Structure formats: structure tokens, C-alpha cells
Amino acid sequence: MVIRELKDGRSYVSLQEDHAELAAQFAAHWGNTRFSKLRPYQTMVFATTYHDSGYREFEGNPPMNVAKGRPYAHREDVPNFEATELKAYAKNAEWVTSQDPYAGLLVSMHRTGLWHNRYNIFTEPAGRLRERSAAVKDAKVKLESQQAEIKRKLMELEPGFENELAYNYMALQVFDLLSLYFCCDGYANENEFKEYKIAPVRISYDSNETVTLTIKPNGPGSVIFDPYPWDISPLKVSARARIVAPLQEKSEAACVDAYHKAARELLTFRISA
């Protein structure tokens, strides 16, 4: 779950697929006279839409952080849950690959990259490389072995594939970070965003030129991008969230009941050049 806690005790709770749907809106609109439009376009939008769908295996009935009266957030450690997560991640990569091998490769790389600080492609935001369990290390080796085989096959079909793949992996990470910014990470207070940077960001498949993508607050629910990478301005995007109110009774059953009954809200954001 992607969760933003409010000062009054409520939480905005979004499914990973809600978060991914927002990321996919960024993918769909990426590109203008300065930034390359994504290619292959449908593959990139598809991969972005389903890049975190492994969580579908358990978000229908998610494990609850009873102390906080809501599901566990995506950066919180769920007790005795690693095996379930690893199985779900692998199953999602397998399903996406069955639909589109290139998209499956990107989704798999996204998962293994998260275990390795997004393969250290960004200097901003600052990441951290932490020690992983033996099970995660084994899963990473297995997934990366599968990735190597898909890469080999796709490289045979398309000259310059490695360069294109590097750009597309970077782009997927940008969309993921931006969605997390709007869903939970980007808030200076209840209503206003904070300044945020992603760097280095390549602007084109055909160039190694990079920029620092800077987001500046522009009033409630609104930001300015510099430089501007989208095809229209303003760009309006949205994400669904459940509004989970604080609970009087702190029990698993009460948390589950509140989660399923929580009102849904469409959060809308305005992005301008």
C-alpha cells in the first residue's frame, strides 16, 4: 500500500495499482519537442501500468498494521511476509512477460532494481543500498538470469536495443518516483507540495544529454516542472485513494472492516510548465 498520513489521524491509502495507474498517466504523456516520446509506446505504457501488480496477490485482503489502524505501507516491514511478497513479484513478472516480453523485462528489472537502489542510476533523490535477506538475494539472481535471456532474444531482433532499454528503464523509474511524490512523498504540509528533484534524467534516446528534473510547488494540488517533459500543459492527472479514519478499537478485525468500508476519493493534480 502507498500511504500518506494526515495530522488528524486519517490516512490516504492507495493500492499499488492505483499508484501504478498514476505512473502510467505520466508515461502516456511523456515527450515533446525536447524530450523523446517513449518507444515502443504501447509497451512502455503497459509496463508502467502493471509494474507493481504483484501486490494484487495480497492487497485485496492486506495485512494490517494494527498499531496504526490501517494496512502496512510499502516501506514498512510486514512480519513473516517475505515469502508471500517474493512469490507475488515473480508471478507478476511472469504474467506481464506472457503478454509482452519487453514489458515483462522492464517490470522484472524494476523489481530487482529496487533491491539495488534502482541500479544507482540517479544521484537525486539520494537512495540507500541496504543489506537484503538470503531469500531476496536468491530471487534477484533468478530474476536477473531470466532478464538476461529475454535481453539476448530482443537484442537479436533490434540493433541498439541496449541503449533503448537503458532509457526505458530510467523512464519507468522516473514515473514511479513521480507517482510516489504525488501519492505520499512530496508534501511539505497537508496541502502544499515541496520542491523535489530527479537527476540525472536523459532527454532523448539519441543523446546522452541529461537534465535535473525539478518540481516546484504552485499552490494546493499544483506544481511546476522545469524542464517540462510532457506533451501538454497543464497536464491533469489523478489517483484513487481510500480515506481511512482513525480507529477507537485497535484490532485486526476493526482495521479490516475500516479498510473495506473506507470512502474512495479521486485525488487530482495539476502540472504546468
Side-chain angles (χ1 to χ4, degrees):
M1 295 289 175
V2 178
I3 295 175
R4 178 163 73 97
E5 296 178 326
L6 304 179
K7 290 182 179 179
D8 63 6
R10 294 179 302 146
S11 296
Y12 284 109
V13 178
S14 295
L15 301 177
Q16 286 284 350
E17 287 193 328
D18 296 327
H19 144 72
E21 174 62 25
L22 175 56
Q25 293 168 64
F26 296 132
H29 286 281
W30 183 268
N32 51 35
T33 57
R34 186 174 185 188
F35 287 80
S36 289
K37 181 177 178 179
L38 297 175
R39 66 179 194 233
Y41 179 78
Q42 289 184 326
T43 288
M44 281 299 295
V45 174
F46 182 75
T48 308
T49 302
Y50 294 103
H51 75 274
D52 276 336
S53 287
Y55 292 86
R56 184 194 301 159
E57 296 292 308
F58 47 84
E59 283 193 331
N61 290 292
M64 293 292 164
N65 187 331
V66 175
K68 293 195 172 184
R70 55 156 176 77
Y72 280 92
H74 70 291
R75 295 190 181 107
E76 296 173 343
D77 290 327
V78 185
N80 305 313
F81 207 64
E82 184 175 79
T84 300
E85 290 182 298
L86 293 178
K87 183 178 179 181
Y89 300 150
K91 187 175 181 180
N92 185 53
E94 180 181 350
W95 176 78
V96 177
T97 300
S98 74
Q99 307 299 309
D100 183 331
Y102 194 163
L105 172 60
L106 286 161
V107 169
S108 180
M109 289 175 64
H110 174 69
R111 172 48 47 193
T112 56
L114 289 179
W115 291 329
H116 201 97
N117 194 31
R118 301 183 192 268
Y119 291 120
N120 299 311
I121 63 170
F122 298 126
T123 56
E124 294 184 273
R128 63 186 183 95
L129 187 59
R130 61 186 178 91
E131 185 64 22
R132 300 292 179 173
S133 70
V136 168
K137 291 177 180 177
D138 289 345
K140 183 172 181 286
V141 169
K142 183 176 181 180
L143 287 172
E144 288 178 335
S145 176
Q146 295 169 351
Q147 292 165 19
E149 181 60 20
I150 297 173
K151 287 179 187 177
R152 183 187 64 77
K153 292 179 180 179
L154 293 175
M155 285 172 62
E156 292 175 354
L157 300 175
E158 182 183 342
F161 173 75
E162 285 186 288
N163 172 66
E164 181 184 273
L165 178 64
Y167 186 93
N168 286 337
Y169 172 76
M170 175 216 70
L172 176 56
Q173 302 317 298
V174 170
F175 306 146
D176 183 57
L177 287 169
L178 290 179
S179 181
L180 291 173
Y181 172 87
F182 285 101
C183 287
C184 61
D185 290 342
Y187 292 84
N189 52 51
E190 297 286 281
N191 299 308
E192 298 280 348
F193 290 107
K194 62 184 178 183
E195 185 167 314
Y196 184 75
K197 296 181 179 181
I198 304 176
V201 175
R202 282 178 62 189
I203 66 170
S204 169
Y205 291 100
D206 303 320
S207 168
N208 288 323
E209 180 186 354
T210 63
V211 296
T212 296
L213 202 60
T214 301
I215 308 172
K216 298 178 181 179
N218 191 37
S222 181
V223 297
I224 293 171
F225 270 68
D226 180 29
Y228 194 79
W230 320 113
D231 58 0
I232 57 173
S233 179
L235 172 64
K236 294 182 180 179
V237 295
S238 57
R240 192 183 76 145
R242 302 174 192 229
I243 316 302
V244 178
L247 301 178
Q248 296 298 318
E249 177 189 346
K250 294 295 179 71
S251 69
E252 183 83 13
C255 291
V256 170
D257 192 58
Y259 170 74
H260 288 304
K261 292 179 179 179
R264 277 64 160 175
E265 185 174 322
L266 195 63
L267 309 177
T268 300
F269 312 107
R270 179 185 174 96
I271 302 170
S272 303

